[in-house]
Amino acid sequence: MRRPQDVLSRPRKPTDAPAATPPADPTVAVGVEQAEAALVEHYPRLVRLAYLVLPPHLGRNRRVLTAHSLVQRSLPRGRSGRTPQVVAAIPGPRRPEGERTGSGHAFVRQQVLRQALEAEPPLLRKAWPKRAQLPPVLPQVWGVRLFPKSGGADELALDQRLAALTGAGRAAYVLRGLEKLDDAGVRSVLTAAGAADPDTALAEADTVEPSPLLESAEFDPCSLQARPTDLMRRRQHTRIGVAALAALVVGAIVLGGSGESGSSVRNLAAEESLDPAQLTIAAAGAWKTADRTDFSAWPVRGSLTDDSALLRRALATWAAPENSVRVSATPDTPAGPAAGAPQLLYAGEVDGARVVVLYDGLRLVRYAEPLDGGASPVLDFARVDGANEAGANAVVVSRTDTTVRFLTAPWADRTSVRNLLDPAAAPRALKRGPDGVTGPVAASSMARDCTSWDAVEVRDTTGVRTLTDLGELVPARLTAGAPQSAGDVKSAADRASWARTACRLPTLRSHGVRSVNVWSYASQNLPEGGGTAQWACTRAETWQGGGSRVFAQFLPPATGHASPGATAAKSEDSAACGAKDPQVLAGVLWKSKTDKWYLLAAGDEAVASVAVSGGVEGSADGNVLAVPAKQGAQAQLTGKLADGTKISSLR
């Protein structure tokens, strides 16, 4: 459904009137010559539209070629202009006064969209594929992969948001943003192109904020970069040969000359990204004076930084990994090649492998190959855009079946290991080599029975950070405290909270988690003298921004060893227990020592009253509630803040 109009919907200006009043005649005849003239005139825009609507799972190279193919196949059938085709009269885009558009452009646009939408469903074994679902016959390219120029973090974020929409949803968004159609015009175009439910497509488009980045080079399939497909087998080819091949590619793709910005295939960035001599290297002390204290300030370290052959293999594998390479990436992390020369952070030998760690401003990339050559290389990707000093303290440089080793930041002056399940125990020293690589630490995969959980403490220039391995390239930072004041795990109370929460961390493995905060938000005296229970809310936030995970825990009085709490409620993609929504309310059924059941509930300090209805009835002033109940009872919790605002329980 669409988001509330008064807060989150796309802003409407008074001037956003329908672009044009549809003529009384519902169809318009279009001849071949008229359509061809429109295609040639608007070719770059039509190809951009096709590229944006095509399904992302095709990959950028195939999307580029398919976009050109769809536009080139969009002329009316027939050999002469005397055979007109019919197109629905659709309102055209709003254009500056004096700029003209006609039915020829509308017809070609309709055909392009129809084919792009047909390419959306996956191929089925028993179904005859449509032409748009198959690789294009023309244009064809051999020896290189083509893709638009890489943009920045904003373009990457927009691309990921569009990838989450259906083909019709992307089409609706692009028709609004690129063709400047209003909703009535979008609905007409989608209907004519064969979309099943234009209203649902418009609702999908509402979930993505309007952006001028649709006009950026990131989404321009007429201005391209090239990467080799089989570089290691063609290492003796000269740059002249590559340039000649690129020229042939341009000739194969471009139809009827240059368009708005012309078509070009530039290999300079590709050559730089494959040349070890072009790698960026930060000075040893750059982090001390850098404005940004993140991975870009890390100096290069390791014993193999001068091994050009190793670096070239790492760069070539990143650009075009062979099928035998094991590639992994955190959620929503693109695994494509670098836009230019990346930064070298590490190259050395660790645990029987040669390891290279690279950084391109948005991602960390780890390449590892065995010293004995007996296994395939490994290529790991992780998003780290927006990292700060606290989030750029360590990278997993080696992972075995039982242990991990970290490459620590240059500003880390001490490392130690602490068992989260034993809050009273002192941390153990963790040795580091001259290159900043730590000794082995137990991997999170070894904590299946949760009898211990080792976290790494790193002291940097402003505090002691607690990091834990969650199976990915970048460890997650652990924090404690209320959402608006969460910070490092410092106090005995912080460590006690983590001792009863750490066993929930395995549920967060391999989700791109950036940080995990535990917040002890309430205490409650249990009925029948059952002692004092604690309530905690744990929030895991990710590098990609979405996909947060929240769970509330009921922590009964501990007896001896700090046992894990019971999960009272959990939610995904929720703002609860975070800085944007620092409220929480949750409840559980609890059995006393006399075998009586109670519904217990607790909210944070901002909750002024709690009520329960349904299978259990009751209310109480304050932020906690205890009401007699029956085993298995179902009820609905609500709370009120001091200003009267109602909140519901976490779900």
Side-chain angles (χ1 to χ4, degrees):
M1 61 185 296
R2 297 198 185 190
R3 298 179 294 180
Q5 192 77 10
D6 58 338
V7 177
L8 296 175
S9 62
R10 185 170 66 97
R12 309 282 184 176
K13 298 180 180 179
T15 57
D16 282 357
T21 301
D25 184 4
T27 60
V28 176
V30 179
V32 174
E33 293 180 355
Q34 183 182 5
E36 183 177 8
L39 187 151
V40 172
E41 178 184 358
H42 302 291
Y43 185 80
R45 179 172 291 273
L46 291 166
V47 176
R48 185 190 291 263
L49 185 149
Y51 179 84
L52 286 162
V53 176
L54 282 168
H57 68 75
L58 296 178
R60 291 192 295 172
N61 178 71
R62 183 167 163 188
R63 282 170 70 194
V64 166
L65 297 179
T66 301
H68 284 273
S69 178
L70 297 187
V71 175
Q72 294 175 19
R73 295 205 309 261
S74 295
L75 290 176
R77 296 181 180 181
R79 293 182 175 273
S80 75
R82 294 188 300 272
T83 309
Q85 300 290 313
V86 171
V87 59
I90 301 166
R94 294 188 297 271
R95 297 178 180 273
E97 186 175 356
E99 185 177 345
R100 301 181 62 184
T101 184
S103 55
H105 174 265
F107 175 85
V108 176
R109 180 180 61 193
Q110 176 179 311
Q111 298 305 307
V112 169
L113 279 176
R114 178 184 58 78
Q115 296 175 87
L117 293 176
E118 288 177 351
E120 176 73 13
L123 286 172
L124 300 177
R125 182 173 297 180
K126 296 183 180 180
W128 188 260
K130 296 185 178 181
R131 185 174 180 183
Q133 294 177 279
L134 300 174
V137 177
L138 287 174
Q140 276 290 349
V141 178
W142 290 271
V144 293
R145 294 184 299 128
L146 300 174
F147 50 89
K149 300 174 183 178
S150 297
D154 292 338
E155 287 88 346
L156 177 63
L158 176 60
D159 193 36
Q160 291 167 349
R161 289 193 291 270
L162 292 178
L165 305 182
T166 63
R170 288 191 298 274
Y173 183 85
V174 173
L175 288 171
R176 279 176 174 172
L178 195 64
E179 293 288 280
K180 310 301 182 187
L181 295 182
D182 60 14
D183 283 2
V186 172
R187 191 177 291 107
S188 298
V189 172
L190 290 179
T191 300
D197 192 346
D199 288 329
T200 299
L202 284 164
E204 280 191 65
D206 279 337
T207 65
V208 182
E209 291 297 325
S211 173
L213 295 177
L214 290 178
E215 300 276 2
S216 71
E218 171 83 11
F219 307 112
D220 183 7
C222 286
S223 182
L224 302 169
Q225 297 184 89
R227 291 290 186 277
T229 56
D230 54 358
L231 182 68
M232 298 305 293
R233 296 186 180 92
R234 300 183 290 111
R235 296 178 70 178
Q236 301 303 317
H237 284 200
T238 64
R239 294 183 179 181
I240 296 176
V242 174
L245 181 59
L248 292 176
V249 172
V250 174
I253 292 181
V254 179
L255 176 69
S258 60
E260 293 174 349
S261 59
S263 296
S264 61
V265 180
R266 301 180 181 177
N267 291 295
L268 179 58
E271 293 168 1
E272 288 183 350
S273 68
L274 296 172
D275 185 359
Q278 299 297 325
L279 287 169
T280 302
I281 295 176
W287 63 272
K288 297 179 181 179
T289 57
D291 293 330
R292 292 173 49 194
T293 311
D294 57 11
F295 293 105
S296 65
W298 279 31
V300 62
R301 288 169 289 177
S303 59
L304 300 178
T305 56
D306 293 328
D307 189 340
S308 296
L310 169 64
L311 300 179
R312 193 177 299 277
R313 289 194 300 273
L315 293 170
T317 302
W318 181 0
E322 296 182 351
N323 293 334
S324 60
V325 177
R326 291 172 292 166
V327 180
S328 70
T330 55
D332 289 336
T333 301
Q343 181 178 345
L344 177 63
L345 303 184
Y346 179 85
E349 293 184 7
V350 189
D351 291 334
R354 285 181 285 265
V355 177
V356 178
V357 179
L358 301 160
Y359 172 63
D360 70 350
L362 296 175
R363 301 167 294 174
L364 283 173
V365 181
R366 174 183 172 270
Y367 169 85
E369 62 180 30
L371 290 174
D372 58 11
S376 300
V378 175
L379 195 63
D380 299 321
F381 294 85
R383 279 187 65 167
V384 290
D385 45 316
N388 54 17
E389 180 177 342
N393 266 306
V395 175
V396 173
V397 74
S398 172
R399 183 184 300 279
T400 68
D401 292 338
T402 58
T403 64
V404 293
R405 293 178 189 264
F406 298 96
L407 175 66
T408 55
W411 49 81
D413 65 355
R414 188 183 68 189
T415 55
S416 56
V417 177
R418 184 184 290 275
N419 180 6
L420 293 179
L421 301 187
D422 190 357
R428 311 185 305 273
L430 178 60
K431 294 182 179 180
R432 291 185 299 163
D435 56 0
V437 175
T438 69
V441 179
S444 61
S445 58
M446 298 301 295
R448 297 184 184 92
D449 55 359
C450 207
T451 56
S452 67
W453 189 287
D454 283 347
V456 175
E457 293 184 335
V458 178
R459 187 174 72 180
D460 59 22
T461 59
T462 58
V464 178
R465 319 297 184 183
T466 303
L467 312 175
T468 191
D469 168 47
L470 290 180
E472 295 175 324
L473 190 55
V474 182
R477 182 189 175 197
L478 306 183
T479 59
Q484 295 171 326
S485 58
D488 295 322
V489 181
K490 298 178 181 178
S491 66
D494 293 343
R495 288 191 283 271
S497 295
W498 268 111
R500 307 192 67 181
T501 305
C503 289
R504 304 299 178 192
L505 287 173
T507 63
L508 304 176
R509 282 176 53 86
S510 303
H511 285 288
V513 173
R514 177 176 187 163
S515 63
V516 188
N517 183 65
V518 62
W519 171 31
S520 295
Y521 67 86
S523 297
Q524 182 174 22
N525 293 324
L526 299 178
E528 302 182 21
T532 302
Q534 302 293 323
W535 291 81
C537 188
T538 303
R539 178 179 177 83
E541 298 188 344
T542 65
W543 287 99
Q544 65 266 33
S548 60
R549 297 193 170 201
V550 182
F551 51 91
Q553 285 183 281
F554 171 71
L555 309 174
T559 55
H561 183 71
S563 57
T567 300
K570 57 184 178 181
S571 180
E572 295 187 18
D573 286 323
S574 170
C577 299
K580 291 184 177 180
D581 185 13
Q583 275 80 48
V584 62
L585 175 65
V588 294
L589 289 172
W590 175 78
K591 186 170 70 172
S592 70
K593 293 180 180 179
T594 61
D595 292 336
K596 293 182 179 179
W597 287 90
Y598 292 86
L599 185 144
L600 307 178
D604 62 278
E605 292 180 349
V607 176
S609 64
V610 182
V612 59
S613 59
V616 182
E617 298 286 340
S619 63
D621 292 333
N623 65 330
V624 296
L625 170 73
V627 181
K630 294 182 180 180
Q631 182 179 2
Q634 300 290 321
Q636 182 177 0
L637 281 174
T638 57
K640 280 188 178 181
L641 306 182
D643 62 1
T645 302
K646 291 185 178 181
I647 65 170
S648 57
S649 61
L650 181 68
R651 62 184 63 188

